[in-house]
Amino acid sequence: MVETPLSQKLGYWLLYICIACGIVVIQLLPLQLSPIRLFSELRLGFPLSGQSLPSLTASIRSWLTPDILLAITCAWIMRRPDYVPVILVGVIFLLADLLLQRPPGLYAVIVILGTEFLRTRAFELRNGFFIAEYLTVAAVIYMIGLLYFFACSITMIVRPDFLLLFIQSMTTVALYPLVTFVSRAVFGIYHIGPGGGDEARGRL
Amino acid sequence: MATEKSASELYFRPVRRLLVGLTLAVLVGIFILWRIDSPRVERLRADITDRFVPNFDWMMAPATGAANIASDFQSYQKIYEQNQELRRELQQMKAWREAALQLEQENARLLDLNNLRLDPKLTHVTGVVMADSGSPFRQSVLLNVGSRDGIIDGWATMDGIGLVGRISGVGRNTSRVILLTDSHSRIPVTIQPSGQRAILAGDNAATPLVEFLESPDLVRAGDRVVSSGDGGIFPADLLVGQVAFDPDGRMRVRLAADYERLKFLRILRSRPREPIQDPGSLLLPVLPPVSGPQPLTEELADG
């Protein structure tokens, strides 16, 4: 049994925090000031005649609205559950809720429910094909979106637009393979081998 | 090994479950607290934003700059067309400018003739956009002026041309502007030639909806929409945009402010109007003090 040394785990926790903060800060950059173009056009039924010429980057940015933080969290949990402890997920998503103007705590609770589900499946899915993992994660991401929508309805908050949520979940799912590839290639997040320790399976 | 595993599972499983349960309980607690006492938690949120976001200013400015350079570079490809178009528009604008100047002079002369006194001029503070809402579900921007600069919740913000939104959430150094396109935004407006009052309601699309309009038949596409000043929230007659119809026949407003390029925003200092408190003294003559304990109501009845 190979125990992951605590210092290495601490390093990955810090890395996760840094990546999360980076994603939130990039989302906060004042680049996307007008509403999502795809959404507006679907809503209006006609293309918006731009008095200002939309550039390519602007239009890509305004079409894709993935929740990259969620994708990264799922990808890491499927590979190394011990690198993303549940408290860390809670704190990061609570901070994101506060900074991104969501009802504080609600999205964090739903994300934790989803990722805990993934955590219990991570061990079984790790020897299968990627497609099995992908389908599971996709289902969880869609469920998170749905749950968030219903939770907002039940607690009588102004609920997020369903179409917009759907676009977001879809783009998150579409980006998931890329996110797993980057976490493997850049950050070295691999599946643990069959001899991996109990701890590495995220028992604590 | 098998026994080891089962032992560790016996020990770790309950601890883990407890940990997950505790985290969930804390988060649900925060959420319920927010639901019950929203203003306090929102103030906490403003404070956290106030602490967190300005720290990343050193990084945000270059990153935003680089992204804008990239998008500007792409727009160079269309620069010739754009230039031609701008020239044409400039010609039209010159004609309009002449007309505006003449009208302004005429207006000033008429006001002078009538001895009319308008509202005192609004003063404004200008702030720089630091960050946006970061999510497609909320349309808001963060400005670099806050309670330190005397900003108060509810003030209107404009770019050079049109209304952009209202202040909602003030920290010490930062304040948040809820844009008109946000799904929480509701603004009282007047639609110009017909003079009807309505509510402008954002729905996260680029063009907000017009709601609670009495007779939609009187409104045509292209009518001017200005703020009405109802409820004493906003100063009246700030330009909002023009009426447009979507294929479902619902009335929407094309905003006059350029939402693609919000950089500097004007925050209008609006002072509440002086309330008139004593209505009686205008109507009744000042009576001499009457001897004897006579109630006022009888006096009124007699008079």
Side-chain angles (χ1 to χ4, degrees):
Chain A
M1 273 207 186
V2 190
E3 294 265 311
T4 318
L6 186 66
S7 60
Q8 189 188 336
K9 269 203 287 191
L10 267 180
Y12 274 101
W13 293 352
L14 274 180
L15 182 65
Y16 178 70
I17 294 174
C18 289
I19 290 176
C21 287
I23 290 172
V24 170
V25 167
I26 288 173
Q27 280 187 319
L28 281 176
L29 287 182
L31 299 173
Q32 179 57 55
L33 293 172
S34 54
I36 305 301
R37 184 171 285 268
L38 172 66
F39 174 65
S40 296
E41 289 180 0
L42 282 177
R43 246 312 113 84
L44 297 183
F46 56 85
L48 288 170
S49 69
Q51 303 107 336
S52 50
L53 303 164
S55 64
L56 188 65
T57 47
S59 49
I60 288 175
R61 213 163 45 222
S62 59
W63 281 57
L64 298 177
T65 59
D67 192 349
I68 302 177
L69 187 54
L70 179 62
I72 285 186
T73 310
C74 290
W76 285 34
I77 279 179
M78 292 309 283
R79 280 162 189 72
R80 294 302 301 254
D82 54 332
Y83 287 169
V84 219
V86 63
I87 293 186
L88 208 53
V89 177
V91 169
I92 289 292
F93 274 87
L94 179 64
L95 186 69
D97 278 352
L98 285 173
L99 287 175
L100 302 183
Q101 304 293 301
R102 287 190 292 240
L106 183 61
Y107 196 62
V109 166
I110 292 166
V111 166
I112 284 185
L113 290 179
T115 52
E116 284 307 299
F117 175 81
L118 284 182
R119 214 186 281 265
T120 53
R121 299 289 179 285
F123 185 60
E124 296 150 27
L125 285 172
R126 74 166 189 210
N127 293 326
F129 292 105
F130 177 70
I131 191 78
E133 176 198 331
Y134 186 47
L135 288 179
T136 316
V137 171
V140 165
I141 288 174
Y142 280 120
M143 277 314 288
I144 286 176
L146 264 182
L147 260 181
Y148 182 58
F149 182 77
F150 285 122
C152 284
S153 317
I154 289 168
T155 50
M156 294 195 284
I157 308 169
V158 176
R159 39 166 204 250
D161 193 276
F162 193 80
L163 181 64
L164 200 52
L165 258 181
F166 184 71
I167 294 175
Q168 185 171 48
S169 298
M170 213 167 56
T171 43
T172 311
V173 168
L175 269 187
Y176 183 75
L178 185 70
V179 169
T180 56
F181 176 74
V182 169
S183 5
R184 210 159 28 188
V186 181
F187 304 116
I189 310 281
Y190 292 100
H191 285 294
I192 348 145
D198 256 351
E199 232 181 306
R201 262 180 267 147
R203 291 284 184 251
L204 187 66
Chain B
M1 182 159 160
T3 53
E4 224 175 289
K5 188 179 273 178
S6 65
S8 71
E9 285 203 353
L10 266 180
Y11 174 64
F12 283 127
R13 268 275 170 84
V15 175
R16 230 197 95 60
R17 237 172 243 169
L18 194 68
L19 210 64
V20 175
L22 265 180
T23 317
L24 284 179
V26 169
L27 290 174
V28 170
I30 291 173
F31 176 64
I32 291 175
L33 185 68
W34 175 76
R35 206 68 195 102
I36 295 169
D37 189 3
S38 186
R40 199 168 302 216
V41 180
E42 288 298 332
R43 224 172 302 142
L44 177 76
R45 189 206 292 266
D47 282 345
I48 288 177
T49 313
D50 207 43
R51 288 277 161 73
F52 186 83
V53 177
N55 289 343
F56 287 94
D57 212 18
W58 55 269
M59 193 194 118
M60 284 176 146
T64 315
N68 284 339
I69 286 173
S71 61
D72 282 348
F73 186 71
Q74 279 158 0
S75 69
Y76 281 142
Q77 297 162 353
K78 299 180 182 168
I79 206 155
Y80 179 72
E81 292 168 43
Q82 204 177 355
N83 200 357
Q84 294 297 318
E85 197 179 330
L86 286 177
R87 269 170 210 277
R88 270 198 304 279
E89 275 180 16
L90 189 64
Q91 282 300 325
Q92 290 171 359
M93 288 303 150
K94 271 184 186 157
W96 278 111
R97 183 168 169 272
E98 275 311 309
L101 281 176
Q102 284 173 14
L103 284 175
E104 193 188 354
Q105 282 168 9
E106 190 184 337
N107 198 9
R109 247 178 287 137
L110 290 175
L111 288 178
D112 192 37
L113 281 174
N114 285 330
N115 244 340
L116 184 68
R117 188 181 160 132
L118 289 178
D119 277 347
K121 275 235 153 156
L122 292 161
T123 57
H124 60 258
V125 192
T126 304
V128 180
V129 172
M130 289 173 81
D132 63 10
S133 69
S135 96
F137 301 101
R138 302 300 302 272
Q139 309 295 329
S140 64
V141 294
L142 202 69
L143 299 182
N144 69 340
V145 287
S147 60
R148 183 190 54 178
D149 309 280
I151 306 296
I152 294 177
D153 260 342
W155 281 359
T157 54
M158 303 179 73
D159 72 347
I161 309 166
L163 193 65
V164 166
R166 63 186 293 201
I167 301 281
S168 160
V170 182
R172 215 183 97 71
N173 302 318
T174 55
S175 55
R176 186 167 292 281
V177 179
I178 298 285
L179 303 180
L180 297 182
T181 47
D182 187 271
S183 57
H184 292 66
S185 162
R186 300 285 182 279
I187 302 289
V189 292
T190 308
I191 297 175
Q192 223 13 298
S194 64
Q196 293 188 88
R197 303 287 166 90
I199 295 284
L200 189 68
D203 65 343
N204 275 338
T207 47
L209 284 165
V210 176
E211 288 179 349
F212 302 110
L213 190 66
E214 196 164 312
S215 41
D217 308 337
L218 297 179
V219 178
R220 285 185 303 172
D223 283 359
R224 268 163 52 92
V225 178
V226 296
S227 69
S228 71
D230 279 345
I233 306 166
F234 270 9
D237 291 334
L238 304 176
L239 179 62
V240 175
Q242 290 182 329
V243 172
F245 288 91
D246 66 6
D248 300 342
R250 279 177 309 181
M251 205 177 292
R252 289 178 177 270
V253 172
R254 275 181 200 279
L255 297 169
D258 187 0
Y259 273 58
E260 301 271 339
R261 295 187 181 74
L262 297 180
K263 188 153 190 213
F264 299 101
L265 290 185
R266 270 182 206 168
I267 304 156
L268 304 180
R269 284 204 191 92
S270 44
R271 241 167 259 114
R273 272 175 225 152
E274 283 178 48
I276 302 171
Q277 275 160 349
D278 45 349
S281 64
L282 289 175
L283 302 174
L284 286 175
V286 183
L287 297 171
V290 187
S291 59
Q294 220 170 1
L296 190 69
T297 46
E298 271 191 35
E299 234 173 76
L300 281 175
D302 287 349

